[in-house]
């Protein structure tokens, strides 16, 4: 069955380190999104991509970057991790047609920055 | 940009009662409004959605209503069951799919159904 996976599921890192969170989907969806979830803030969009080599900044993009070299993957990189980036991160993917519009979310990655 | 407000942050109901969750949005150009349910330890999952050309949509025990004039939309759950306990998010976007499909989410509401 098609699915969306995230790895690792849990990560502890230190301030200043570079961290990459992986997101992989097997639906061949064009659209992919990264969100962070924090208590009191809900889901906030970090970066998104509408296709290979396309990336766009979301609401809270500072300190994060993404690249889209193929359809299946959208890795999220924290260039220099900060304690404020401790959060749960969700990746989502979505088809590009009107009848295939649901955003499917991955299981999440819990990141702790010490 | 779009701003989606969701109040209150928590709601507790007795099993079998109805629950109503309300959201407001700011951008009159938004025309797609999905609702997501998030169970503990999992990612959000779409449960129902509505487009701006429709005023109401039902799917078994859940329904969504949209008032474009007032810029608010609501989720209605009837005959609530313990398994309805979860966090519910409303969201809005300019389009259903394609290049206008990025969602702006509300902050979420924790629904507790008391047995």
């Amino acid at each position: 069955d098609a699915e969306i996976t995230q790895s690792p599921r849990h990560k502890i890192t230190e301030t200043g380190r570079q961290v990459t969170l992986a997101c992989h989907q097997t639906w061949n969806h064009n659209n992919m999104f990264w969100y962070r979830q924090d208590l009191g803030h809900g889901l906030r969009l970090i970066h998104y991509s509408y296709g290979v080599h396309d990336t766009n900044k979301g609401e809270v993009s500072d300190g994060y970057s993404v690249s889209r070299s193929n359809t299946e993957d959208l890795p999220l990189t924290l260039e220099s991790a900060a304690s404020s980036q401790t959060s749960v991160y969700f990746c989502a993917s979505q088809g590009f047609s009107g009848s295939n519009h649901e955003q499917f979310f991955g299981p999440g990655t819990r990141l702790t920055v010490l | 940009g779009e701003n989606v407000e969701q109040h209150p942050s928590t709601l507790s109901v007795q099993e079998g009662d109805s629950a109503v969750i309300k959201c407001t949005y700011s951008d009159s150009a938004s025309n797609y409004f999905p609702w997501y349910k998030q169970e503990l330890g999992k990612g959000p999952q779409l449960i129902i959605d509505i487009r701006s050309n429709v005023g109401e949509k039902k799917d078994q025990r859940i329904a969504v209503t949209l008032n474009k004039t007032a810029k608010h939309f609501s989720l209605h759950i009837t005959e609530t069951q313990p398994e309805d306990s979860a966090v519910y998010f409303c969201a809005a976007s300019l389009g259903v799919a394609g290049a206008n499909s990025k969602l702006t989410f509300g902050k979420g509401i924790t629904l507790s159904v008391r047995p």
Side-chain angles (χ1 to χ4, degrees):
Chain A
D1 286 343
E3 61 178 354
I4 180 167
T5 57
Q6 294 183 235
S7 63
R9 294 294 313 277
H10 301 271
K11 174 78 174 177
I12 299 174
T13 191
E14 295 177 344
T15 301
R17 290 192 179 269
Q18 184 181 77
V19 177
T20 297
L21 308 182
C23 176
H24 179 81
Q25 52 98 2
T26 59
W27 283 294
N28 201 36
H29 284 165
N30 282 310
N31 298 355
M32 295 184 72
F33 307 85
W34 272 105
Y35 299 89
R36 60 177 290 176
Q37 184 175 18
D38 304 287
L39 197 63
H41 291 279
L43 291 161
R44 291 182 291 175
L45 184 63
I46 305 172
H47 281 287
Y48 57 103
S49 168
Y50 289 138
V52 177
H53 302 309
D54 175 75
T55 61
N56 306 278
K57 294 181 179 180
E59 177 188 0
V60 289
S61 61
D62 287 349
Y64 304 93
S65 64
V66 293
S67 63
R68 187 89 179 272
S69 59
N70 58 52
T71 301
E72 296 79 17
D73 300 288
L74 186 69
L76 176 71
T77 298
L78 287 67
E79 306 293 345
S80 177
S83 58
S84 59
Q85 295 177 307
T86 293
S87 185
V88 180
Y89 291 85
F90 287 99
C91 177
S93 73
Q94 178 192 43
F96 203 73
S97 65
S99 62
N100 186 23
H101 57 270
E102 178 178 349
Q103 280 195 28
F104 293 90
F105 282 78
T109 294
R110 183 175 295 276
L111 177 68
T112 302
V113 183
L114 300 176
Chain B
E2 175 66 280
N3 182 44
V4 177
E5 297 282 344
Q6 191 170 358
H7 298 283
S9 60
T10 60
L11 177 63
S12 180
V13 299
Q14 193 71 38
E15 181 178 359
D17 288 349
S18 294
V20 181
I21 303 170
K22 298 180 180 180
C23 286
T24 61
Y25 62 99
S26 62
D27 190 345
S28 57
S30 290
N31 64 11
Y32 175 62
F33 307 93
W35 285 89
Y36 283 80
K37 176 183 181 182
Q38 185 181 28
E39 297 177 346
L40 196 63
K42 297 184 178 180
Q45 184 172 11
L46 179 71
I47 55 171
I48 195 167
D49 55 12
I50 192 168
R51 304 188 191 189
S52 60
N53 60 347
V54 176
E56 182 176 1
K57 183 177 178 181
K58 290 183 179 180
D59 184 3
Q60 299 183 336
R61 294 188 298 108
I62 61 174
V64 56
T65 58
L66 172 65
N67 184 324
K68 287 181 60 180
T69 302
K71 289 190 284 188
H72 67 72
F73 56 114
S74 300
L75 177 70
H76 305 253
I77 306 174
T78 59
E79 301 174 13
T80 54
Q81 302 169 2
E83 52 264 39
D84 294 328
S85 296
V87 178
Y88 291 82
F89 291 98
C90 59
S93 70
L94 295 175
V96 171
N100 285 323
S101 61
K102 67 183 181 76
L103 293 170
T104 299
F105 282 87
K107 293 182 179 180
I109 179 172
T110 300
L111 174 65
S112 299
V113 180
R114 305 186 302 273

